[in-house]
Amino acid sequence: MARADWVSGERTGGRGEDGWSGVDLRMDVPHSARVYDYLIGGKTNFEPDRAAAHAAVKAWPALPTSMRTTRGFMERVVRHLAERHGVRQFLDIGAGIPASPNVHEIAQEVAPESRVVYVDNDPIVLTHARALMSSRPEGRTAYLDADLRDVDAIMDAPRLREVLDLSRPVALSLIAIVHFVLDGDDPQGVVRRLMDRLAPGSLLALTVFTGDTDPVGVGGVGREYNARGIPLQIRDRAETLAFFDGYELLDPGVTLVHRWHPEPGAAPVRDQDIAMYGGVAVKR
């Protein structure tokens, strides 16, 4: 039987046979995870999410392309780290609504013994977390209901420490999440505190939402998100590089996500259609 673990949640209600009951999904307001799901072609979304997505796309029509390309970056990063760097432990914070291939599916295709802990605090993600639990028997996965900004709650969670050996390298994945952490919450400091808890040889894979390629269009996306109660912060290249201060960037460094080790023969993508920087770095 595959090894898979559920978080011991603190939300009202109890865990049901098919997920989590008693969770308030707030289907009357847009949610960042569901807006993203809709824009990449998923089905776990509701009318307010779709309305927010349409407004954002009207402001910047390339948004779906940028989001799908960011998803492709995540997939390439996980495979690259598993194949070329021998990574067997992943901590994926901001996991989002499951969409195959998920991190554990990619990593365990390379190395079935790979272990993955998913973290998110979105109610809709919690209800679908079972899809993240389909580990191969040689490996293990777990899901934690926690906020990225609460570093101690994540790193001290007994479930995380049951799955990951923090004395060994871990790849910390922060894909399409830090733009929801505003400057007042010190996102660079949050990332640094997470990395401080990981062993030397650990890696940081991170993306940052940017307006450098199309300030007007991407700025419109930011206004639409914020107007609908989804706080979102757009950052430039210098602010992106700050997340990697103190770590050794892997080739090709910080770049637009479609330019990070693209698949041979991949369809061309224009820089102006991408609003996400990405990079991977090693903690020495």
Side-chain angles (χ1 to χ4, degrees):
M1 179 179 295
R3 290 300 303 270
D5 298 285
W6 281 78
V7 62
S8 298
E10 296 180 353
R11 298 184 182 274
T12 58
R15 180 174 5 128
E17 182 178 349
D18 297 321
W20 200 274
S21 61
V23 176
D24 182 3
L25 299 182
R26 295 299 307 276
M27 293 180 290
D28 57 326
V29 296
H31 197 288
S32 59
R34 298 192 302 245
V35 173
Y36 176 82
D37 175 76
Y38 178 69
L39 288 169
I40 65 171
K43 300 183 183 302
T44 309
N45 49 76
F46 305 100
E47 182 54 37
D49 310 306
R50 295 188 283 271
H54 291 156
V57 171
K58 184 176 180 180
W60 190 51
L63 182 60
T65 297
S66 184
M67 287 191 167
R68 289 192 296 267
T69 303
T70 301
R71 179 80 187 183
F73 169 82
M74 179 278 289
E75 295 173 10
R76 296 195 308 279
V77 164
V78 173
R79 184 170 298 280
H80 183 92
L81 295 183
E83 288 182 343
R84 302 190 185 186
H85 294 268
V87 176
R88 298 295 180 262
Q89 300 192 110
F90 294 82
L91 175 56
D92 182 16
I93 303 180
I97 296 168
S100 189
N102 294 295
V103 170
H104 73 281
E105 294 169 323
I106 301 167
Q108 291 181 354
E109 183 180 344
V110 176
E113 71 273 20
S114 297
R115 295 180 165 219
V116 180
V117 171
Y118 295 101
V119 181
D120 212 302
N121 70 334
D122 295 344
I124 190 69
V125 179
L126 182 62
T127 66
H128 288 268
R130 188 177 296 277
L132 301 174
M133 299 295 99
S134 57
S135 173
R136 294 194 182 190
E138 301 94 333
R140 195 168 176 185
T141 64
Y143 178 88
L144 299 179
D145 180 25
D147 191 303
L148 164 63
R149 294 164 295 188
D150 195 344
V151 172
D152 290 341
I154 295 171
M155 302 307 298
D156 293 335
R159 186 58 47 84
L160 180 143
R161 291 172 175 270
E162 290 170 6
V163 175
L164 301 181
D165 178 357
L166 297 185
S167 70
R168 301 177 60 83
V170 174
L172 171 62
S173 175
L174 296 169
I175 306 300
I177 182 64
V178 297
H179 49 272
F180 298 120
V181 182
L182 304 184
D183 285 347
D185 287 320
D186 186 19
Q188 289 90 353
V190 169
V191 173
R192 186 168 54 252
R193 291 195 297 276
L194 285 164
M195 290 297 292
D196 284 348
R197 303 289 294 272
L198 300 179
S202 293
L203 298 107
L204 169 65
L206 179 141
T207 67
V208 171
F209 193 59
T210 185
D212 285 358
T213 52
D214 188 343
V216 174
V218 176
V221 173
R223 287 192 297 274
E224 293 296 342
Y225 268 63
N226 282 285
R228 286 166 171 76
I230 304 174
L232 183 148
Q233 184 126 12
I234 299 167
R235 298 185 170 98
D236 61 21
R237 181 176 175 80
E239 291 171 299
T240 301
L241 288 168
F243 283 99
F244 295 99
D245 281 351
Y247 312 120
E248 180 182 323
L249 279 161
L250 301 184
D251 181 71
V254 169
T255 183
L256 294 173
V257 289
H258 67 298
R259 295 187 174 276
W260 198 92
H261 294 284
E263 295 286 355
V269 179
R270 304 185 308 166
D271 287 358
Q272 57 264 42
D273 290 338
I274 302 300
M276 201 77 76
Y277 285 125
V280 180
V282 182
K283 174 184 177 179
R284 296 301 186 187

